[in-house]
Amino acid sequence: MSKWTTRAAKVTGYSVAVVALLIAGAVTWYRASLPSYDGAVAVGGISAPLQIYRDKHAIPHVIARSYTDALFGLGYAEAQDRLWQMMFLRRVMQGRLAESIGPQGVQTDEFIRTLGLYHLAEQSVRHLRPDTRRSLEAYAAGINAYLKHRKGPLPIEFALLNVSPEPWRPADSIATFKYMQLSLSENMYEEIERARLAGHISRRQIEELYPPYPGDADNPLPGYISLFAKAKTAGFEVPETTASNNWVVSGSRSVTGAPLLANDPHLPLTIPSIWYLAHISYPGQDVVGAALPGVPGIMLGQNRRTAWGATNAGPDTQDIYIEKLSPGDPGSYLTPTGTARFQSHSETIKVRFGSPRIITIRSTRHGPVLPSSWPRTNGLLPAGYVLALAWTALVPDDTTIQANMDISAVKDSDETASAVRDFISPMQNLVHADADGHIGLMLASRVPIRDEQNDSLGLVPEEGWESRYDWRGYIPVDQLPSMVDPATGQIATANNKTVPENYPYTLTREWADPFRFSRISELLSATPKHSIESFKAIQLDIHDRYAEELVPLLLKAAPWPTPKARSAASMLSHWDFNMDANRPEPLIYEAWQRALVRRLISDELGSSFRAHWTHNAVFTLRILRNTEGEGRWCDDIRTVAVETCATEIRLALVDALTELGNDYGSDMARWRWGRAHHAIFAHQPFDQIPLLKDIFDREVETSGGAFTIRRGDFRYSDERPYAATHGSGYRAIYDLAHPDNSIFVITTGESGNVFSHYYTDMIALWAGGEYVRIPTDRGEINKASKYLLTLYPGSESDP
């Protein structure tokens, strides 16, 4: 979940009563909420019997006689395992969180309702092909069949939050996917935060704090950003959206003679996992990989002839517009040709433990007006202005879910290219391969074209009354970046810049740092012919390319002020830059960097410092290299003296060693990165409730860091500053020569029920760098099967 959801889910006031309920014997009763994976059930909505086999990890194999029946079975299986996750996320996307958790949910509900995401999902259903609508209906029918035939109590979250499950509809699946769209789009947060910083630092300092991609030109900001100069309130951290890996090699570069493809998407670490492993089989096809509970089909995976994997491309598909109210008429706003009336309507938010809230939702020609209650925009503008959001996903004809379903059934690369034409948002780097030996990369979605006179560059809010800031249509689908069968026999992406230098359009000016991509490319090039084992080694690689660049710059600050500092510097001078959980060097390095970032920017940013107290790799490197005079950030403006970067580096090391000594003892040789770097799997919403989080959350030591391929990102400003909260929720390696040799793993387990063995049974596998196979061969499925549930056709009235 993103930060705006977790903050909204801070449920208080009844925590003690809830814990008392658990202690009083609810555990025994709620174990009856575990679903039955065995037996036979008569259900309405399928044309023939289907089987759901499950292996020792409860991974379902849905064997059906038609595609729609297979989706019915998948919906049934996901409802067995992830019912709370699906129902809770639907409530979030309907703007009904406050109904469950009380007044703390109102701000999130108002924000979601303002965007109108659920209404758009309902409209999108009408823009899908008839066969896609039938597929959505079949999947929804499977979920509803489980709701009808299930026995025993519901998962305990329903009782604790006084929620009853409601029937699933096709629009609910689209809304669930729209949550993913929202989670993977960060442009608006970046624009708002740049504007807020105008009340703390100069325009040039903002440009430096958000540097361009290495090798790209600087991004000058427009003069009108001074409009925000009075915004003195504290900033808000920008949600992490750009972190995933995928790569593929052709048959000429693999030991099997057929392509190999790897993918590990990085998202917030949650329990249950965002992803759900599954295999669906129907005549002529087997599809296996990661499903997104609530959305029909396999989102990332392989079928009998193709495989595909995705990373977030991070295009600039959102713009915040400053709308100026018409003088004397607050119901109108200025446009390039005069004035226009706000479109508006009211909605009522029901509030548990409180009175209903009536909100007014307004829209302009650009999009919805962001609510004044939203903390990110509160106090940002002077009186007489509001902010509106333009976003490519805010359209009624969003057919992205159709594209996702089509991709899983394609037979070759040409069909893959055809399927992604329906992709609207979010843009993905889709790496693909087929059994004929072809490999490729496609970027697909709607990306706006901006006017050459648009001096905002899509980086800060734009003046809505000036026509030069209006979008000029979208980049033609046929001109979006793509690549097929490169001579090198390899393709990789890691949220890096993926367009050639002569590309005529601008996708974004905010690509992710290139460190993971360069490491993947290096390892791919180093091996002439790859195997599943060599791909595993890459996927689990913990070498930090950023540390490789930063540490030598830090060590130049010698001489060191204390014997302990000299010892620490000596240790890092011999470090191999591997973020190994069992070594002290990564912990010293990260604590040093954390202390240095505080010394570099806390004086300038003031109350906005904590929002930016995290990794900013390119910015830090430019300061220490004094690329364009950025070394002045080293001076502490709160003192009379002029501090140098060497001075601040030395003092930061002392700060870091003091911190670590207090937390881990005086013997540096006994410090371990793993003690601090736990992956934390957060439950929604109970991660925000003391005591309950100890029951529902899980955590485990792990190697890796923010810039390693095996990634576990963290924020220095958090209470536990080195604990990973963002990383690879799913890892997979696909073998096109022998698909049943492909390997998979998710973070936690298939079940979302805290009383289930399958709530956590994959954590040790994931942390240990292990995988499972999900065979499609019937004989292997039967041999590995631990459970078998048969669904057979019956009337809707069958018990």
Side-chain angles (χ1 to χ4, degrees), residues 411-426:
K411 298 180 178 64
D412 56 39
S413 293
D414 289 340
E415 290 188 8
T416 302
S418 177
V420 301
R421 296 181 71 89
D422 285 334
F423 211 94
I424 304 300
S425 174

PDB file of all heavy atoms in Angstrom, residues 411-426:
ATOM      1  N   LYS A 411       0.608 -16.118 -28.824  1.00  0.00           N
ATOM      2  CA  LYS A 411       1.427 -17.248 -29.257  1.00  0.00           C
ATOM      3  C   LYS A 411       2.808 -16.836 -29.741  1.00  0.00           C
ATOM      4  O   LYS A 411       3.692 -17.677 -29.899  1.00  0.00           O
ATOM      5  CB  LYS A 411       0.708 -18.021 -30.362  1.00  0.00           C
ATOM      6  CG  LYS A 411      -0.629 -18.627 -29.932  1.00  0.00           C
ATOM      7  CD  LYS A 411      -1.270 -19.376 -31.089  1.00  0.00           C
ATOM      8  CE  LYS A 411      -2.581 -20.028 -30.638  1.00  0.00           C
ATOM      9  NZ  LYS A 411      -3.588 -19.028 -30.228  1.00  0.00           N
ATOM     10  N   ASP A 412       3.013 -15.536 -30.003  1.00  0.00           N
ATOM     11  CA  ASP A 412       4.328 -15.100 -30.476  1.00  0.00           C
ATOM     12  C   ASP A 412       4.476 -13.604 -30.234  1.00  0.00           C
ATOM     13  O   ASP A 412       3.559 -12.937 -29.739  1.00  0.00           O
ATOM     14  CB  ASP A 412       4.525 -15.435 -31.957  1.00  0.00           C
ATOM     15  CG  ASP A 412       3.437 -14.866 -32.860  1.00  0.00           C
ATOM     16  OD1 ASP A 412       2.982 -13.724 -32.621  1.00  0.00           O
ATOM     17  OD2 ASP A 412       3.036 -15.558 -33.816  1.00  0.00           O
ATOM     18  N   SER A 413       5.638 -13.088 -30.614  1.00  0.00           N
ATOM     19  CA  SER A 413       5.942 -11.682 -30.345  1.00  0.00           C
ATOM     20  C   SER A 413       5.043 -10.734 -31.111  1.00  0.00           C
ATOM     21  O   SER A 413       4.694  -9.650 -30.624  1.00  0.00           O
ATOM     22  CB  SER A 413       7.412 -11.396 -30.677  1.00  0.00           C
ATOM     23  OG  SER A 413       8.260 -12.085 -29.787  1.00  0.00           O
ATOM     24  N   ASP A 414       4.636 -11.113 -32.315  1.00  0.00           N
ATOM     25  CA  ASP A 414       3.747 -10.249 -33.093  1.00  0.00           C
ATOM     26  C   ASP A 414       2.399 -10.086 -32.389  1.00  0.00           C
ATOM     27  O   ASP A 414       1.839  -8.983 -32.342  1.00  0.00           O
ATOM     28  CB  ASP A 414       3.535 -10.822 -34.495  1.00  0.00           C
ATOM     29  CG  ASP A 414       4.779 -10.708 -35.369  1.00  0.00           C
ATOM     30  OD1 ASP A 414       5.654  -9.875 -35.045  1.00  0.00           O
ATOM     31  OD2 ASP A 414       4.882 -11.454 -36.360  1.00  0.00           O
ATOM     32  N   GLU A 415       1.884 -11.178 -31.851  1.00  0.00           N
ATOM     33  CA  GLU A 415       0.611 -11.090 -31.133  1.00  0.00           C
ATOM     34  C   GLU A 415       0.762 -10.289 -29.836  1.00  0.00           C
ATOM     35  O   GLU A 415      -0.164  -9.595 -29.418  1.00  0.00           O
ATOM     36  CB  GLU A 415       0.076 -12.489 -30.834  1.00  0.00           C
ATOM     37  CG  GLU A 415      -0.403 -13.235 -32.080  1.00  0.00           C
ATOM     38  CD  GLU A 415      -1.103 -14.541 -31.733  1.00  0.00           C
ATOM     39  OE1 GLU A 415      -1.355 -14.789 -30.537  1.00  0.00           O
ATOM     40  OE2 GLU A 415      -1.408 -15.308 -32.673  1.00  0.00           O
ATOM     41  N   THR A 416       1.932 -10.381 -29.209  1.00  0.00           N
ATOM     42  CA  THR A 416       2.187  -9.569 -28.012  1.00  0.00           C
ATOM     43  C   THR A 416       2.108  -8.092 -28.357  1.00  0.00           C
ATOM     44  O   THR A 416       1.486  -7.290 -27.638  1.00  0.00           O
ATOM     45  CB  THR A 416       3.560  -9.904 -27.416  1.00  0.00           C
ATOM     46  OG1 THR A 416       3.622 -11.290 -27.102  1.00  0.00           O
ATOM     47  CG2 THR A 416       3.812  -9.092 -26.150  1.00  0.00           C
ATOM     48  N   ALA A 417       2.741  -7.710 -29.475  1.00  0.00           N
ATOM     49  CA  ALA A 417       2.727  -6.304 -29.897  1.00  0.00           C
ATOM     50  C   ALA A 417       1.314  -5.825 -30.179  1.00  0.00           C
ATOM     51  O   ALA A 417       0.962  -4.679 -29.879  1.00  0.00           O
ATOM     52  CB  ALA A 417       3.607  -6.136 -31.135  1.00  0.00           C
ATOM     53  N   SER A 418       0.488  -6.701 -30.722  1.00  0.00           N
ATOM     54  CA  SER A 418      -0.894  -6.326 -31.003  1.00  0.00           C
ATOM     55  C   SER A 418      -1.692  -6.165 -29.718  1.00  0.00           C
ATOM     56  O   SER A 418      -2.489  -5.235 -29.574  1.00  0.00           O
ATOM     57  CB  SER A 418      -1.537  -7.398 -31.896  1.00  0.00           C
ATOM     58  OG  SER A 418      -2.894  -7.099 -32.138  1.00  0.00           O
ATOM     59  N   ALA A 419      -1.451  -7.052 -28.750  1.00  0.00           N
ATOM     60  CA  ALA A 419      -2.215  -7.018 -27.498  1.00  0.00           C
ATOM     61  C   ALA A 419      -1.966  -5.742 -26.710  1.00  0.00           C
ATOM     62  O   ALA A 419      -2.901  -5.184 -26.115  1.00  0.00           O
ATOM     63  CB  ALA A 419      -1.878  -8.241 -26.653  1.00  0.00           C
ATOM     64  N   VAL A 420      -0.728  -5.269 -26.684  1.00  0.00           N
ATOM     65  CA  VAL A 420      -0.409  -4.117 -25.826  1.00  0.00           C
ATOM     66  C   VAL A 420      -0.943  -2.801 -26.383  1.00  0.00           C
ATOM     67  O   VAL A 420      -0.876  -1.782 -25.698  1.00  0.00           O
ATOM     68  CB  VAL A 420       1.118  -3.990 -25.591  1.00  0.00           C
ATOM     69  CG1 VAL A 420       1.658  -5.233 -24.936  1.00  0.00           C
ATOM     70  CG2 VAL A 420       1.866  -3.684 -26.870  1.00  0.00           C
ATOM     71  N   ARG A 421      -1.493  -2.800 -27.568  1.00  0.00           N
ATOM     72  CA  ARG A 421      -2.055  -1.563 -28.115  1.00  0.00           C
ATOM     73  C   ARG A 421      -3.214  -1.050 -27.260  1.00  0.00           C
ATOM     74  O   ARG A 421      -3.534   0.145 -27.297  1.00  0.00           O
ATOM     75  CB  ARG A 421      -2.500  -1.777 -29.558  1.00  0.00           C
ATOM     76  CG  ARG A 421      -1.368  -2.105 -30.519  1.00  0.00           C
ATOM     77  CD  ARG A 421      -1.892  -2.270 -31.947  1.00  0.00           C
ATOM     78  NE  ARG A 421      -2.297  -0.999 -32.519  1.00  0.00           N
ATOM     79  CZ  ARG A 421      -1.488  -0.173 -33.185  1.00  0.00           C
ATOM     80  NH1 ARG A 421      -0.207  -0.493 -33.348  1.00  0.00           N
ATOM     81  NH2 ARG A 421      -1.940   0.952 -33.681  1.00  0.00           N
ATOM     82  N   ASP A 422      -3.858  -1.938 -26.524  1.00  0.00           N
ATOM     83  CA  ASP A 422      -4.965  -1.513 -25.668  1.00  0.00           C
ATOM     84  C   ASP A 422      -4.498  -1.013 -24.305  1.00  0.00           C
ATOM     85  O   ASP A 422      -5.323  -0.653 -23.466  1.00  0.00           O
ATOM     86  CB  ASP A 422      -5.936  -2.686 -25.453  1.00  0.00           C
ATOM     87  CG  ASP A 422      -6.791  -2.966 -26.678  1.00  0.00           C
ATOM     88  OD1 ASP A 422      -7.004  -2.039 -27.469  1.00  0.00           O
ATOM     89  OD2 ASP A 422      -7.242  -4.118 -26.834  1.00  0.00           O
ATOM     90  N   PHE A 423      -3.202  -0.985 -24.084  1.00  0.00           N
ATOM     91  CA  PHE A 423      -2.664  -0.597 -22.782  1.00  0.00           C
ATOM     92  C   PHE A 423      -2.737   0.927 -22.637  1.00  0.00           C
ATOM     93  O   PHE A 423      -2.231   1.664 -23.477  1.00  0.00           O
ATOM     94  CB  PHE A 423      -1.216  -1.067 -22.667  1.00  0.00           C
ATOM     95  CG  PHE A 423      -0.796  -1.421 -21.269  1.00  0.00           C
ATOM     96  CD1 PHE A 423      -0.885  -2.732 -20.822  1.00  0.00           C
ATOM     97  CD2 PHE A 423      -0.333  -0.461 -20.400  1.00  0.00           C
ATOM     98  CE1 PHE A 423      -0.505  -3.070 -19.527  1.00  0.00           C
ATOM     99  CE2 PHE A 423       0.052  -0.782 -19.108  1.00  0.00           C
ATOM    100  CZ  PHE A 423      -0.036  -2.098 -18.669  1.00  0.00           C
ATOM    101  N   ILE A 424      -3.355   1.391 -21.556  1.00  0.00           N
ATOM    102  CA  ILE A 424      -3.528   2.833 -21.319  1.00  0.00           C
ATOM    103  C   ILE A 424      -2.600   3.325 -20.215  1.00  0.00           C
ATOM    104  O   ILE A 424      -1.907   4.323 -20.348  1.00  0.00           O
ATOM    105  CB  ILE A 424      -4.991   3.155 -20.968  1.00  0.00           C
ATOM    106  CG1 ILE A 424      -5.939   2.651 -22.051  1.00  0.00           C
ATOM    107  CG2 ILE A 424      -5.161   4.663 -20.751  1.00  0.00           C
ATOM    108  CD1 ILE A 424      -5.713   3.241 -23.422  1.00  0.00           C
ATOM    109  N   SER A 425      -2.573   2.617 -19.073  1.00  0.00           N
ATOM    110  CA  SER A 425      -1.785   3.067 -17.929  1.00  0.00           C
ATOM    111  C   SER A 425      -1.670   1.913 -16.940  1.00  0.00           C
ATOM    112  O   SER A 425      -2.597   1.099 -16.815  1.00  0.00           O
ATOM    113  CB  SER A 425      -2.485   4.257 -17.263  1.00  0.00           C
ATOM    114  OG  SER A 425      -1.834   4.643 -16.076  1.00  0.00           O
ATOM    115  N   PRO A 426      -0.537   1.830 -16.219  1.00  0.00           N
ATOM    116  CA  PRO A 426       0.677   2.639 -16.287  1.00  0.00           C
ATOM    117  C   PRO A 426       1.633   2.087 -17.331  1.00  0.00           C
ATOM    118  O   PRO A 426       1.639   0.870 -17.593  1.00  0.00           O
ATOM    119  CB  PRO A 426       1.267   2.465 -14.882  1.00  0.00           C
ATOM    120  CG  PRO A 426       0.868   1.054 -14.517  1.00  0.00           C
ATOM    121  CD  PRO A 426      -0.478   0.830 -15.126  1.00  0.00           C
TER     122      PRO A 426
END
